[in-house]
Amino acid sequence: MHGEYKVPGGKLVVVDLDARDGVLRDVRVSGDFFLEPDEAIHVIDRALEGAPADLDAASLAARIQTALPPGTQMYGLTSDGIGIAVRRALAHATDWTDYDWQLVHMEPQAPALHMALDEVLTHEVAAGRRAPTLRVWEWASPAVVIGSFQSLRNEVDPQAAERHGVTVVRRISGGGAMFIEPGNTITYSLSVPDALVQGLTFADSYAYLDDWVLGALGDMGVKAWYQPLNDIATEAGKIAGAAQKRVVGGGAVLHHVTMAYDIDAAKMLEVLRIGKEKLSDKGTRSAAKRVDPLRRQTGLPREAVIERMIGSFRGRYGLTEGKVTDEEMARAQELAETKFGTAQWTTRVP
């Protein structure tokens, strides 16, 4: 069995092993990390040899930590990362490069249709009728996108939303509200086979699926990192939020991210009801300080930021131009009319 895991902000960890009679055998850990002293790599192998095959990643990491000699230094490597690589090997997880990725980047669409396209395309990936897909969104109008479980009245001021021409829609994933303006927002979705995140906890899958965009931002001079559970942050503040949804019955995962390229903070504060508890949790007194747009940090036009993000993904994993099929679009339009554009769905948590 073979498992790989790139530690967020670190290096690739590879584990090759067998599982016989319920325990790990012939364990070999490798990768492009740095480790001192040299013999610590053999200590790690021995710590995992004979371990019960049903141990979770944290328990495997604890075995490694207990066995490591005093003064061991890991660079680009963590015990937790090794434990995750083991779990991915046992789960027969796939890697990014195992797939032929497809890009969908189409003309601006209405907010409700974007919600529907996420659901339709991810179900198509789950059914094996669509290749794993990176979809870059273009917005036809301003919007607030609330999480699947958020209270509409607690999150949005309806009078302010109407005054500013903001459409409120509810997505299928959890998480918080996103304030959208077409020229100020960068949004993308990943619809991926669930085999890609096998062996990862729900929290670890966020970091794993966000890692490529951290690299893309780094190439643009933005030092960014994953901040649990679902934020992408910089020293100047949060720049993005992510959310996920698993297809019922398995088969695929939807991971989508909204990034602030620029923002009208005053308008956002009128439309969104951002509570004191949320501000306190983020360690700031002002909601306007919670988001630091990419325009200032990169100095690049929005279109150039998107182009570089797509180029970075293509350089890492390969990416061919794709499109939404006529059948997929018809299903999405029907869902937009019968579900995502209805008051029943939007107010399902009043």
Side-chain angles (χ1 to χ4, degrees), residues 123-197:
H123 277 277
E124 288 298 286
V125 171
R129 293 186 292 266
R130 162 170 284 278
T133 299
L134 167 65
R135 182 170 75 91
V136 179
W137 304 22
E138 297 294 347
W139 295 88
S141 61
V144 167
V145 183
I146 60 175
S148 182
F149 311 108
Q150 286 189 295
S151 163
L152 177 61
R153 68 166 66 99
N154 288 344
E155 298 299 327
V156 182
D157 183 317
Q159 287 77 31
E162 183 176 1
R163 185 167 63 251
H164 291 294
V166 173
T167 301
V168 182
V169 291
R170 185 184 296 275
R171 62 181 182 266
I172 59 175
S173 62
M178 297 296 181
F179 178 73
I180 307 296
E181 291 184 295
N184 291 345
T185 306
I186 297 172
T187 306
Y188 67 85
S189 300
L190 287 168
S191 297
V192 306
D194 60 4
L196 184 63
V197 295

Side-chain angles (χ1 to χ4, degrees), residues 40-53:
I41 190 68
H42 303 300
V43 174
I44 293 171
D45 291 343
R46 289 195 296 271
L48 295 171
E49 188 73 23

Side-chain angles (χ1 to χ4, degrees), residues 236-238 265 268-269 279 282-292:
K238 171 184 171 180
M268 180 184 73
L269 291 176
L279 294 180
K282 300 297 182 180
T284 182
R285 295 181 180 179
S286 169
K289 294 180 180 178
R290 286 191 54 212
V291 181
D292 190 64

Side-chain angles (χ1 to χ4, degrees), residues 40-313:
I41 190 68
H42 303 300
V43 174
I44 293 171
D45 291 343
R46 289 195 296 271
L48 295 171
E49 188 73 23
D54 59 356
L55 286 184
D56 61 18
S59 299
L60 293 166
R63 287 177 68 102
I64 294 167
Q65 283 297 121
T66 300
L68 287 173
T72 297
Q73 298 292 316
M74 293 181 173
Y75 304 95
L77 174 70
T78 65
S79 297
D80 287 333
I82 299 170
I84 291 171
V86 171
R87 293 310 317 166
R88 285 176 60 75
L90 292 166
H92 301 285
T94 55
D95 184 65
W96 294 85
T97 54
D98 292 332
Y99 300 103
D100 295 323
W101 291 89
Q102 187 173 109
L103 171 68
V104 171
H105 188 191
M106 54 199 299
E107 64 275 6
Q109 304 294 336
L113 187 60
H114 276 307
M115 305 302 108
L117 282 167
D118 263 357
E119 180 169 317
V120 169
L121 298 187
T122 305
H123 277 277
E124 288 298 286
V125 171
R129 293 186 292 266
R130 162 170 284 278
T133 299
L134 167 65
R135 182 170 75 91
V136 179
W137 304 22
E138 297 294 347
W139 295 88
S141 61
V144 167
V145 183
I146 60 175
S148 182
F149 311 108
Q150 286 189 295
S151 163
L152 177 61
R153 68 166 66 99
N154 288 344
E155 298 299 327
V156 182
D157 183 317
Q159 287 77 31
E162 183 176 1
R163 185 167 63 251
H164 291 294
V166 173
T167 301
V168 182
V169 291
R170 185 184 296 275
R171 62 181 182 266
I172 59 175
S173 62
M178 297 296 181
F179 178 73
I180 307 296
E181 291 184 295
N184 291 345
T185 306
I186 297 172
T187 306
Y188 67 85
S189 300
L190 287 168
S191 297
V192 306
D194 60 4
L196 184 63
V197 295
Q198 286 298 312
L200 300 177
T201 65
F202 190 76
D204 287 334
S205 69
Y206 273 86
Y208 185 69
L209 294 176
D210 281 338
D211 188 65
W212 74 273
V213 81
L214 300 185
L217 290 169
D219 292 341
M220 289 181 269
V222 179
K223 183 180 179 182
W225 59 86
Y226 162 73
Q227 185 168 293
L229 170 66
N230 61 333
D231 288 348
I232 296 175
T234 70
E235 292 178 353
K238 171 184 171 180
I239 58 172
Q244 285 187 12
K245 176 68 176 178
R246 264 66 172 167
V247 171
V248 175
V253 175
L254 168 66
H255 179 90
H256 42 200
V257 174
T258 294
M259 311 179 76
Y261 172 73
D262 203 348
I263 195 163
D264 185 335
K267 186 186 297 183
M268 180 184 73
L269 291 176
E270 286 186 48
V271 176
L272 294 184
R273 290 173 169 162
I274 301 176
K276 293 180 180 179
E277 184 67 24
K278 183 175 290 187
L279 294 180
S280 173
D281 179 58
K282 300 297 182 180
T284 182
R285 295 181 180 179
S286 169
K289 294 180 180 178
R290 286 191 54 212
V291 181
D292 190 64
L294 285 171
R295 180 183 61 79
R296 185 182 66 80
Q297 292 203 49
T298 64
L300 296 170
R302 174 180 176 274
E303 294 74 16
V305 174
I306 292 174
E307 183 179 342
R308 293 197 185 191
M309 288 172 57
I310 291 172
S312 180
F313 192 102

